[in-house]
PDB file of all heavy atoms in Angstrom:
ATOM      1  N   ALA A  61      91.741 168.903 175.329  1.00 40.00           N
ATOM      2  CA  ALA A  61      90.599 169.611 174.758  1.00 40.00           C
ATOM      3  C   ALA A  61      89.610 170.045 175.819  1.00 40.00           C
ATOM      4  O   ALA A  61      88.705 170.816 175.572  1.00 40.00           O
ATOM      5  CB  ALA A  61      89.893 168.714 173.729  1.00 40.00           C
ATOM      6  N   PRO A  66      84.078 166.802 171.204  1.00 93.00           N
ATOM      7  CA  PRO A  66      84.807 166.973 169.942  1.00 93.00           C
ATOM      8  C   PRO A  66      83.878 167.387 168.798  1.00 93.00           C
ATOM      9  O   PRO A  66      82.757 166.898 168.680  1.00 93.00           O
ATOM     10  CB  PRO A  66      85.409 165.589 169.693  1.00 93.00           C
ATOM     11  CG  PRO A  66      85.365 164.887 171.009  1.00 93.00           C
ATOM     12  CD  PRO A  66      84.175 165.429 171.719  1.00 93.00           C
ATOM     13  N   GLY A  89      97.098 156.548 158.428  1.00 96.00           N
ATOM     14  CA  GLY A  89      97.065 156.432 159.880  1.00 96.00           C
ATOM     15  C   GLY A  89      96.944 157.745 160.627  1.00 96.00           C
ATOM     16  O   GLY A  89      97.534 157.908 161.698  1.00 96.00           O
ATOM     17  N   SER A 101      95.039 174.508 163.275  1.00 98.00           N
ATOM     18  CA  SER A 101      95.660 174.665 161.964  1.00 98.00           C
ATOM     19  C   SER A 101      96.341 173.374 161.543  1.00 98.00           C
ATOM     20  O   SER A 101      96.901 172.646 162.383  1.00 98.00           O
ATOM     21  CB  SER A 101      96.691 175.799 161.977  1.00 98.00           C
ATOM     22  OG  SER A 101      96.070 177.059 161.987  1.00 98.00           O
ATOM     23  N   GLY A 104     102.135 171.847 157.144  1.00 94.00           N
ATOM     24  CA  GLY A 104     103.029 170.836 156.597  1.00 94.00           C
ATOM     25  C   GLY A 104     103.462 171.202 155.195  1.00 94.00           C
ATOM     26  O   GLY A 104     102.926 172.134 154.586  1.00 94.00           O
ATOM     27  N   ALA A 134      78.541 160.896 160.732  1.00 96.00           N
ATOM     28  CA  ALA A 134      79.328 160.801 159.511  1.00 96.00           C
ATOM     29  C   ALA A 134      79.496 162.184 158.877  1.00 96.00           C
ATOM     30  O   ALA A 134      78.625 163.053 159.020  1.00 96.00           O
ATOM     31  CB  ALA A 134      78.640 159.862 158.524  1.00 96.00           C
ATOM     32  N   GLY A 171      68.479 175.396 147.694  1.00 61.00           N
ATOM     33  CA  GLY A 171      67.026 175.282 147.685  1.00 61.00           C
ATOM     34  C   GLY A 171      66.346 175.747 148.957  1.00 61.00           C
ATOM     35  O   GLY A 171      65.161 175.510 149.158  1.00 61.00           O
ATOM     36  N   GLY A 177      70.703 181.923 161.583  1.00 84.00           N
ATOM     37  CA  GLY A 177      71.855 182.783 161.763  1.00 84.00           C
ATOM     38  C   GLY A 177      71.709 184.136 161.088  1.00 84.00           C
ATOM     39  O   GLY A 177      70.643 184.494 160.587  1.00 84.00           O
ATOM     40  N   GLY A 191      78.640 198.755 153.648  1.00 96.00           N
ATOM     41  CA  GLY A 191      78.759 199.796 152.637  1.00 96.00           C
ATOM     42  C   GLY A 191      79.213 199.283 151.288  1.00 96.00           C
ATOM     43  O   GLY A 191      79.153 200.004 150.287  1.00 96.00           O
ATOM     44  N   ALA A 275     105.111 164.373 154.910  1.00 93.00           N
ATOM     45  CA  ALA A 275     104.679 163.957 153.580  1.00 93.00           C
ATOM     46  C   ALA A 275     105.201 162.569 153.210  1.00 93.00           C
ATOM     47  O   ALA A 275     106.089 162.017 153.855  1.00 93.00           O
ATOM     48  CB  ALA A 275     105.147 164.979 152.545  1.00 93.00           C
ATOM     49  N   ARG A 279     101.095 162.038 157.065  1.00 95.00           N
ATOM     50  CA  ARG A 279     100.929 161.406 158.381  1.00 95.00           C
ATOM     51  C   ARG A 279     101.183 162.452 159.459  1.00 95.00           C
ATOM     52  O   ARG A 279     101.800 163.494 159.209  1.00 95.00           O
ATOM     53  CB  ARG A 279     101.881 160.227 158.544  1.00 95.00           C
ATOM     54  CG  ARG A 279     103.345 160.611 158.458  1.00 95.00           C
ATOM     55  CD  ARG A 279     104.256 159.418 158.186  1.00 95.00           C
ATOM     56  NE  ARG A 279     105.662 159.803 158.227  1.00 95.00           N
ATOM     57  CZ  ARG A 279     106.287 160.382 157.212  1.00 95.00           C
ATOM     58  NH1 ARG A 279     105.650 160.674 156.098  1.00 95.00           N
ATOM     59  NH2 ARG A 279     107.575 160.692 157.322  1.00 95.00           N
TER      60      ARG A 279
END
Side-chain angles (χ1 to χ4, degrees):
S101 285
R279 61 198 185 279

